[in-house]
Amino acid sequence: MHVPDGFINAPVSAVTGVIAAGAVAVSLRGARRELDERTAPLAGLVAAFIFSVQMLNFPVAAGTSGHLLGGALAAILVGPYTGVLCVSVVLLMQGILFADGGLTALGVNITDMAIVTTVVAYAVFRGLVKVLPRRRSSVTAASFVAALLSVPCAALAFTAMYALGGTTDVPLGKVLTAMVGVHVLIGIGEAAITALTVGAVIAVRPDLVYGARGLTAPLKLRVGGELVDAPAAAPVAARSPRKVSNRKVWGIGLVTALVLAGFVSFYASSSPDGLEKVAHDKGIDTQTKPHHTEDSPLAGYGVKDISDARISGGLAGLIGVGTTIVVGSGVFWAVRRRRTETAAGPHAEAV
């Protein structure tokens, strides 16, 4: 769903740019409350993981593919404010380094792929975990539904922006039907990836999953040979069956992202993704403009002057993961440091 330059006119692109900038500013402040010594290192890794999985287009219909958007996954793992920042970092890296998503359309893409998906997914997720039984499987199930719904909602958001500022004269009903239809299918893949990832993390370190915080499970006491609910409750996240160090979780996540981007991505579907397919079939792409960084050495997710497609694509993926984790970790480290300085207060002294 990376919107290129030329799909949406300049006024609407400018407005979405302002919305995106405001949302990022709010998220930078909100992320201070979400990031702590456990989750700050994880946030950069989440951004890199989303980048790597977005390289894995999967087939969803004849001649059409889809890929992870990542808003739901980021929001549930590290929080909604931090989630907006994670996806925004990914979109920025993709637009600048890989010519994926227009630079003048960056506001459109952040609004659609970072803000809409994160807000919708986290709202649905929080609503579900309040009514579902308080156990880890409920978190995974809620993740699946939240991710599933976030993708067609992003398709609706794009359709709304196209209605306001589309540069081609295509009937809105056709755009809406085609976009929502294909992205419901893509949403199933998004939901599966999100649920599997959240389930994997929560199985070994539930305390690292932001969406699992505050969940409680009733303690049982044996009274007269029968199990009854105890008056107190213990956090689900505190009762992990096995403890895995933060460093090990981070290392496994990084290796996974590198393998996915550097090797598995070669086997991804080459079919156009949902937006590309709809744009081509309906004529939305007739006003597409050349990308500002189309001459980038990494444009098109390949390294310039390397003829072997497997090596070129794999190396580009590794560079992308490395750059994203460095930039993302730098952003989240700065946010975390700002939180620490604010908590210490202006009169704090070093000891």
Side-chain angles (χ1 to χ4, degrees), residues 169-181:
D169 187 18
V170 178
L172 188 61
K174 292 184 177 180
V175 176
L176 175 64
T177 302
M179 283 293 293
V180 174

Side-chain angles (χ1 to χ4, degrees), residues 91-350:
L91 293 171
L92 185 62
M93 294 299 99
Q94 290 170 332
I96 293 175
L97 297 179
F98 300 94
D100 190 9
L103 296 185
T104 62
L106 186 59
V108 172
N109 285 318
I110 289 178
T111 300
D112 195 23
M113 295 177 65
I115 300 170
V116 171
T117 58
T118 301
V119 170
V120 169
Y122 198 71
V124 172
F125 174 81
R126 293 308 308 174
L128 288 174
V129 295
K130 288 181 179 179
V131 299
L132 291 173
R134 294 182 176 273
R135 51 176 178 256
R136 295 185 185 120
S137 59
S138 296
V139 176
T140 304
S143 301
F144 184 94
V145 177
L148 175 62
L149 294 178
S150 70
V151 178
C153 284
L156 284 172
F158 168 79
T159 305
M161 287 185 279
Y162 179 80
L164 295 173
T167 56
T168 53
D169 187 18
V170 178
L172 188 61
K174 292 184 177 180
V175 176
L176 175 64
T177 302
M179 283 293 293
V180 174
V182 71
H183 283 91
V184 166
L185 299 177
I186 294 173
I188 297 173
E190 177 101 11
I193 294 170
T194 300
L196 287 171
T197 305
V198 171
V201 178
I202 208 171
V204 295
R205 285 296 300 271
D207 59 305
L208 293 180
V209 179
Y210 183 88
R213 296 180 182 182
L215 295 180
T216 58
L219 292 175
K220 298 290 186 179
L221 296 177
R222 188 172 296 278
V223 179
E226 295 183 358
L227 289 176
V228 297
D229 290 341
V236 169
R239 299 186 294 113
S240 177
R242 50 195 176 110
K243 188 73 170 179
V244 178
S245 69
N246 287 2
R247 182 175 299 179
K248 188 172 183 179
V249 170
W250 198 91
I252 293 172
L254 178 59
V255 170
T256 302
L258 291 172
V259 170
L260 292 176
F263 177 73
V264 181
S265 61
F266 180 77
Y267 301 97
S269 173
S270 59
S271 298
D273 66 22
L275 177 59
E276 290 174 332
K277 179 66 172 175
V278 171
H280 177 73
D281 289 350
K282 305 302 179 184
I284 298 174
D285 59 357
T286 57
Q287 299 298 318
T288 303
K289 297 179 181 179
H291 199 283
H292 291 81
T293 62
E294 64 179 2
D295 294 327
S296 165
L298 299 173
Y301 296 94
V303 178
K304 190 176 181 180
D305 298 329
I306 295 182
S307 57
D308 188 292
R310 186 190 300 270
I311 296 175
S312 177
L315 185 56
L318 296 178
I319 294 172
V321 169
T323 304
T324 303
I325 202 167
V326 168
V327 173
S329 296
V331 170
F332 300 123
W333 177 83
V335 171
R336 171 64 181 156
R337 182 181 181 186
R338 177 62 177 167
R339 169 183 170 172
T340 302
E341 292 174 350
T342 302
H347 304 295
E349 296 182 357

